[in-house]
């Protein structure tokens, strides 16, 4: 049996620079790369403002889900990378819980010393099962 795959990109310069896709669907599983806080033109949003970065990052995650016709309740796993985790854990936890609502995916949150962009404080990746009813 051959599994079909398809990719999705925002058209950001770093996608070709780094050589990756924002998401790859393989069969009924969607793998979403770490999302970050940027607008549709690729401009970084929220320097020094963790909550704004987290909200914008989750909005970008929604944009990927929407492209594949998926919903938040089909997310089975999130990975949340946070620079300065001790300072930002409570905000990250509150916003992640609000984003997921009653749905409870598995999640790993990790403190990191640095992320790709100098002002970046958070990055969120996800695994989604498209065959889960929503």
């Amino acid at each position: 049996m051959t599994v079909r795959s398809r990719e999705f990109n925002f058209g950001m310069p770093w996608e070709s620079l780094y050589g990756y896709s924002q998401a790859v669907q393989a069969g009924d599983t969607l793998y979403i790369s770490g999302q970050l806080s940027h607008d549709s033109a690729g401009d970084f949003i929220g320097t020094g403002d963790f909550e704004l970065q987290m909200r914008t990052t989750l909005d970008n995650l929604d944009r990927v889900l929407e492209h594949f016709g998926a919903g938040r309740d089909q997310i089975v796993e999130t990975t949340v990378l946070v620079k300065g985790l001790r300072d930002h854990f409570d905000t990250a936890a509150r916003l992640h819980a609000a984003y997921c609502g009653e749905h409870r995916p598995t999640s790993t949150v990790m403190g990191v010393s640095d992320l790709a962009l100098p002002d970046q404080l958070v990055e969120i990746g996800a695994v989604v099962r498209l065959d889960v009813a929503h």
Side-chain angles (χ1 to χ4, degrees):
M1 179 171 124
T2 302
V3 175
R4 303 183 100 185
S5 70
R6 64 182 179 140
E7 301 171 355
F8 170 73
N9 286 299
F10 288 131
M12 298 296 143
W14 54 80
E15 294 163 349
S16 60
L17 177 70
Y18 189 73
Y20 79 107
S21 294
Q22 295 294 334
V24 174
Q25 177 186 349
D28 289 328
T29 305
L30 179 61
Y31 301 91
I32 302 176
S33 292
Q35 298 299 298
L36 57 111
S37 182
H38 64 83
D39 63 17
S40 60
D43 296 318
F44 188 78
I45 295 174
T47 298
D49 186 336
F50 181 81
E51 184 160 340
L52 178 57
Q53 285 190 35
M54 182 89 176
R55 288 182 184 282
T56 305
T57 297
L58 291 169
D59 288 346
N60 285 332
L61 181 57
D62 277 342
R63 290 174 58 204
V64 177
L65 292 173
E66 182 179 312
H67 175 81
F68 289 92
R72 294 176 183 180
D73 56 346
Q74 291 176 294
I75 297 171
V76 295
E77 177 182 40
T78 62
T79 301
V80 183
L81 308 176
V82 178
K83 187 174 174 181
L85 181 61
R86 293 287 57 92
D87 294 330
H88 302 299
F89 179 78
D90 291 343
T91 302
R94 175 175 51 83
L95 295 174
H96 185 274
Y99 178 82
C100 294
E102 294 299 313
H103 176 65
R104 296 287 183 252
T106 65
S107 185
T108 300
V109 62
M110 290 180 274
V112 297
S113 61
D114 216 353
L115 290 163
L117 302 178
D119 294 322
Q120 185 181 356
L121 299 172
V122 63
E123 185 166 319
I124 303 172
V127 177
V128 177
R129 288 299 305 212
L130 300 170
D131 56 346
V132 172
H134 71 108

